[in-house]
């Protein structure tokens, strides 16, 4: 029987190309912090890169067109007192970016329309709730102003950025450091990878774990877990023999993986970047000089290796452009911003096509910048699917509204808490103790009233002397 050995795929011949030197961002001192985040975040307007900074933490925000050599005196975002560990652009506002730092805070920044002219040290809002460094920041995909942060205090906090409040705190779920956290397509669930080698799928509003897999990857090095658009979870990690692995899991039945692949014995952590429109996962290893890509389908073996794009230099970090920032006229299906020691190099991935017409199969409708629901709706239990846009005529950015933070009266909260504490105060088991306290209060009150009488007498005497 004739058997087709090579599986047909339109992404088998994806062509990767690093842009020329004049289109790179040069002379950037990329951060040397030993933390496995991507150090770079990109959207259709700006590229943000975490850099080395003396006396605190900072990151650069460059308009995409500002390539070439970056002046040492170029203004930075520099409000943190410790190194910045993670940054993430808001999916609903291309001028808002959040940052997490070793100083235990999360800060949200509004970048001016045309980029920075002077250094930015005043965030729109500072979110304080973590007791150790904050290494993971990720915005909700469909609800406005909802932000997730995870710190080395093993705590996940979900914030309403519009009011600056910590709305949900997931404590006691992670016994060790959290390596990654990711929302699903509509933001109703999150999945986390933890140092205890367990992958957890969590319903944050019910504050319960709905699925977990212990020893998802048996190696001791960091794992990563992301949600795919069909609801499955894709993970990268290490085997007991320190081989790099990828695996696919069904959150409803996590006892056994749908698929597991061994890759190689390199020790760099694999950062997965997922395109929900084409079901392609790109894996960029820290310290690797290659980007591997895989297509995920419904047929065995489910995760299909496509190809590898290789360059000479190893990567320190990687930024990934959302679909709406790509050039559809060039059949560009992905764009990466690769960090070297001293520069950031864009890499474009294209699918060669003979026709100049818009390729609908490469560009199905993709998630646009409009949010489906407001933060309050989401915290009340509503979900919203991403609002899709067509890229047929290219993406035209709309006007972004400023991020406004309405601080509620903190004193109100304190008074409410105090009254609930008083209301819920435990009853004294020892009645005698209560009697004792009441007696002391009465004697003090008597003392005060007698002193008041004495003061009145003295005042009268003074008035007579004055006369």
């Amino acid at each position: 029987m004739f058997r087709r050995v090579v599986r047909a795929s339109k992404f088998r011949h994806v062509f990767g190309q690093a842009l020329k030197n004049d289109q790179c961002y040069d002379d950037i001192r990329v951060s040397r912090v030993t933390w496995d985040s991507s150090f770079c975040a990109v959207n259709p307007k700006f590229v943000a890169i975490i850099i080395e900074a003396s006396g605190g933490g900072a990151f650069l925000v460059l308009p995409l067109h500002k390539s070439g050599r970056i002046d040492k005196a170029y203004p930075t975002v520099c409000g943190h007192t410790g190194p910045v560990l993670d940054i993430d652009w808001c999916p609903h506002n291309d001028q808002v970016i959040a940052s997490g730092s070793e100083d235990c805070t999360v800060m949200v920044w509004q970048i001016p329309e045309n980029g920075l002219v002077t250094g930015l040290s005043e965030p729109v809002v500072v979110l304080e709730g973590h007791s150790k460094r904050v290494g993971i920041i990720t915005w909700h995909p469909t609800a406005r102003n909802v932000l997730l942060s995870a710190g080395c205090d093993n705590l996940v906090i979900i914030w309403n950025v519009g009011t600056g409040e910590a709305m949900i705190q997931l404590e006691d779920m992670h016994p060790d450091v959290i390596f990654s956290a990711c929302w699903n397509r509509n933001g109703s669930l999150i999945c986390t990878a933890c140092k205890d080698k367990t992958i957890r799928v969590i319903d944050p509003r019910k504050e319960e774990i709905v699925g977990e897999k212990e020893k998802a990857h048996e190696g001791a090095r960091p794992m990563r877990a992301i949600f795919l658009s069909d609801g499955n979870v894709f993970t990268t990690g290490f085997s007991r023999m320190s081989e790099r692995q990828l695996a696919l899991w069904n959150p409803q039945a996590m006892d056994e993986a749908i698929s597991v692949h061994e890759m190689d014995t390199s020790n760099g952590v694999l950062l997965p970047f997922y395109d929900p429109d084409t079901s392609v996962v790109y894996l960029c290893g820290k310290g690797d000089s290659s980007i591997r890509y895989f297509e995920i389908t419904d047929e065995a073996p489910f995760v299909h290796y496509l190809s590898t794009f290789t360059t000479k230099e190893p990567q320190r970090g990687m930024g990934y452009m959302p679909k709406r920032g790509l050039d559809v006229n060039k059949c560009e299906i992905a764009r990466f911003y690769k960090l070297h020691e001293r520069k950031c190099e864009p890499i474009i991935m294209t699918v060669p096509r003979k026709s100049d017409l818009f390729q609908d199969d490469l560009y199905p409708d993709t998630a646009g910048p409009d949010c489906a629901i407001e933060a309050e709706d989401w915290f009340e239990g509503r979900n919203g699917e991403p609002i899709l846009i067509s890229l047929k005529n290219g993406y035209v950015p709309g006007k972004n509204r400023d991020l406004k933070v309405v601080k509620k009266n903190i004193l109100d909260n304190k008074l409410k808490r105090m009254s609930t504490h008083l209301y819920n105060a435990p009853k004294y088991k020892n009645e005698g103790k209560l009697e004792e306290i009441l007696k002391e209060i009465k004697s003090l009150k008597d003392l005060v009233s007698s002193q008041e009488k004495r003061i009145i007498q003295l005042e009268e005497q003074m008035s007579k002397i004055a006369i």
Side-chain angles (χ1 to χ4, degrees), residues 63 139 230 292 314 328 402 445:
W139 290 91
D230 59 3
R292 294 179 177 85
V328 295
D402 285 355
K445 279 185 176 174

Side-chain angles (χ1 to χ4, degrees), residues 191-211:
C191 69
T192 61
C194 179
K195 196 175 180 179
D196 68 350
K197 303 180 187 176
T198 303
I199 302 292
R200 294 174 177 83
V201 177
I202 300 167
D203 185 328
R205 289 170 296 192
K206 290 182 181 167
E207 299 187 24
E208 63 184 30
I209 296 169
V210 293

Side-chain angles (χ1 to χ4, degrees), residues 7-19:
R7 194 184 63 89
S9 169
K10 58 191 168 212
F11 304 113
R12 180 162 292 287
H13 304 291
V14 169
F15 175 65
Q17 184 184 13
L19 296 186

Side-chain angles (χ1 to χ4, degrees), residues 34-253:
T34 52
W35 181 254
D36 289 317
S37 76
S38 56
F39 288 168
C40 182
V42 198
N43 70 15
K45 278 188 174 181
F46 301 106
V47 53
I49 302 161
I50 301 174
I51 56 168
E52 281 289 292
S54 52
F59 57 95
L60 272 176
V61 175
L62 303 168
L64 290 185
H65 59 78
K66 179 142 183 66
S67 51
R69 189 177 164 279
I70 306 300
D71 195 323
K72 280 187 172 60
Y74 194 86
T76 59
V77 180
C78 52
H80 286 286
T81 55
V84 177
L85 300 179
D86 198 16
I87 47 178
D88 193 30
W89 286 105
C90 175
H92 310 122
N93 188 333
D94 288 341
Q95 284 160 236
V96 171
I97 188 168
S99 57
S101 161
E102 274 192 17
D103 65 10
C104 310
T105 64
V106 177
M107 293 185 181
V108 180
W109 311 84
Q110 175 106 24
I111 306 299
E113 182 113 18
N114 300 314
L116 296 175
V117 183
T118 58
L120 186 59
S121 58
E122 286 294 316
V124 181
V125 61
V126 180
L127 306 173
E128 294 173 312
H130 287 283
S131 58
K132 289 189 180 171
R133 60 185 186 164
V134 183
I136 298 165
I137 296 287
T138 174
W139 290 91
H140 193 287
T142 60
R144 191 198 311 278
N145 291 346
V146 176
L147 179 67
L148 178 150
S149 65
C152 292
D153 49 6
N154 313 338
L155 179 65
V156 174
I157 301 181
I158 299 175
W159 308 85
N160 181 346
V161 175
T163 60
E165 289 179 295
M167 304 295 287
I168 296 169
Q169 297 200 24
L170 304 177
E171 300 174 89
D172 309 325
M173 286 190 181
H174 301 90
D176 215 324
V177 176
I178 302 161
F179 287 139
S180 78
C182 176
W183 298 95
N184 67 348
R185 182 96 164 133
N186 68 359
S188 58
L189 298 171
I190 56 173
C191 69
T192 61
C194 179
K195 196 175 180 179
D196 68 350
K197 303 180 187 176
T198 303
I199 302 292
R200 294 174 177 83
V201 177
I202 300 167
D203 185 328
R205 289 170 296 192
K206 290 182 181 167
E207 299 187 24
E208 63 184 30
I209 296 169
V210 293
E212 66 182 323
K213 172 63 180 171
E214 292 175 12
K215 293 192 176 172
H217 296 279
E218 297 202 348
R221 290 189 55 72
M223 301 190 297
R224 284 280 186 282
I226 57 169
F227 264 114
L228 304 180
S229 53
D230 59 3
N232 287 341
V233 173
F234 179 88
T235 62
T236 64
F238 293 79
S239 70
R240 193 179 290 156
M241 307 301 292
S242 290
E243 292 172 305
R244 293 199 289 194
Q245 290 181 322
L246 9 150
L248 194 60
W249 309 85
N250 176 356
Q252 272 81 49

